[in-house]
Amino acid sequence: MAKLTTLKPRLQAVTTQRLKPMVIADSRITGWKLQARRKRMWAASPCCAVCGRLTEYPNGFELDHIISLYQGGPDTDDNCQILCNGDDGCHRKKTRDDMKGR
C-alpha cells in the first residue's frame, strides 16, 4: 500500500491572545448616573444657559458639554449646561456652529 502525501498548510497560525481594550479619552457617563445628573442640573437651573428660556423636564432640554469631549473637555457637572432643544433651540445652533468649525 502506498503512503499518502500530505499538503503543506497554506494558512498561518493565529494568536488567540486578547488585545487590551482601547482607552477612549472621551468616555462619558450613561444610564442612571446620567439621568441623575440631568435631573440634578435641571432642578438647580431649569432655564437655557444661552437664551434663558424655561425648559421642561425631561424632554425640553439637552445636557450640553461647554467644552466638547472630543476637544478634551471633562465629563463633569462643571462642564455641563442646560440648553433648550427643538428646531430653533440653542443646542441645535451650538452643534451646527461646532460642526462648521471642525
Side-chain angles (χ1 to χ4, degrees):
M1 190 178 250
K3 220 175 183 182
L4 293 174
T5 58
T6 59
L7 299 174
K8 292 183 180 180
R10 290 188 247 168
L11 301 175
Q12 294 179 349
V14 177
T15 60
T16 57
Q17 243 178 352
R18 288 194 177 246
L19 299 175
K20 293 182 181 178
M22 233 173 44
V23 177
I24 300 172
D26 64 346
S27 62
R28 60 181 71 213
I29 64 170
T30 58
W32 67 268
K33 288 182 180 182
L34 174 61
Q35 297 310 315
R37 177 187 283 174
R38 284 176 50 87
K39 189 170 188 177
R40 181 177 62 248
M41 293 197 65
W42 180 83
S45 177
C47 297
C48 176
V50 175
C51 69
R53 184 186 312 173
L54 184 63
T55 61
E56 295 179 12
Y57 184 84
N59 298 321
F61 69 95
E62 293 291 334
L63 192 61
D64 178 69
H65 290 95
I66 298 167
I67 301 172
S68 302
L69 296 178
Y70 80 90
Q71 292 175 330
D75 191 18
T76 60
D77 287 7
D78 295 338
N79 189 38
C80 290
Q81 63 185 351
I82 301 289
L83 292 182
C84 58
N85 63 5
D87 292 337
D88 62 339
C90 294
H91 184 258
R92 182 170 293 218
K93 291 174 188 171
K94 182 177 183 262
T95 303
R96 187 176 43 232
D97 292 345
D98 283 351
M99 296 307 266
K100 285 180 185 176
R102 272 188 166 187

